[in-house]
Amino acid sequence: MTLYQQTTALLEVCEGCLTRFFTMREQAAVPDFFTDVKPFADEWQPQVNDWAQAATAWLADHPQKYMHAVQIESAKEGLNQVIVQSFYKETSKKRFTDTVFAARYTLNSLQKLLEVQ
């Protein structure tokens, strides 16, 4: 999978997590950790980590004026949090949405840079 495809997949995960978060809040649902949360996290966290490594390597080869490795690392941490927190209604709405929007901004910015290259 190319870095562009990985970035697109993570953007879709962001949207899915945002939708799940609001659905869980509306339904006041309580997820089963081992049935719902853990399998989803086990599937996506390695992909997030792979994306971060690939994006950091790409930035090292293609230095950018407005995109830096620290942003990739921050997005990686945010995505890993969002993947788990999206299942829990107790998560702070503002903090969750801010984290999703920050990760989404980095992903969108990187995607635009990749389109130009």
Side-chain angles (χ1 to χ4, degrees):
M1 187 180 295
T2 67
L3 181 56
Y4 185 86
Q5 291 169 328
Q6 288 176 311
T7 305
T8 301
L10 291 178
L11 280 166
E12 291 170 6
V13 168
C14 276
E15 296 307 316
C17 287
L18 202 56
T19 301
R20 180 182 314 105
F21 176 71
F22 286 112
T23 301
M24 296 298 261
R25 285 177 70 98
E26 288 171 9
Q27 297 175 355
V30 178
D32 180 66
F33 180 78
F34 293 103
T35 304
D36 302 322
V37 182
K38 188 170 179 355
F40 188 74
D42 286 347
E43 176 187 351
W44 283 102
Q45 285 180 336
Q47 293 183 49
V48 170
N49 295 336
D50 290 345
W51 166 82
Q53 285 180 338
T56 302
W58 184 84
L59 281 175
D61 293 340
H62 305 89
Q64 301 295 315
K65 188 172 183 178
Y66 298 110
M67 175 71 66
H68 304 285
V70 68
Q71 291 167 280
I72 300 298
E73 184 63 28
S74 178
K76 177 184 114 175
E77 291 172 9
L79 286 166
N80 282 329
Q81 289 175 6
V82 163
I83 285 168
V84 173
Q85 291 175 351
S86 66
F87 287 92
Y88 297 102
K89 65 179 189 236
E90 298 85 13
T91 301
S92 165
K93 179 181 172 184
K94 178 167 177 32
R95 183 173 178 187
F96 180 83
T97 55
D98 286 351
T99 303
V100 170
F101 294 153
R104 196 164 57 184
Y105 177 80
T106 301
L107 290 166
N108 279 323
S109 298
L110 179 62
Q111 192 174 48
K112 288 176 185 168
L113 291 170
L114 292 169
E115 288 172 354
V116 173
Q117 293 291 325

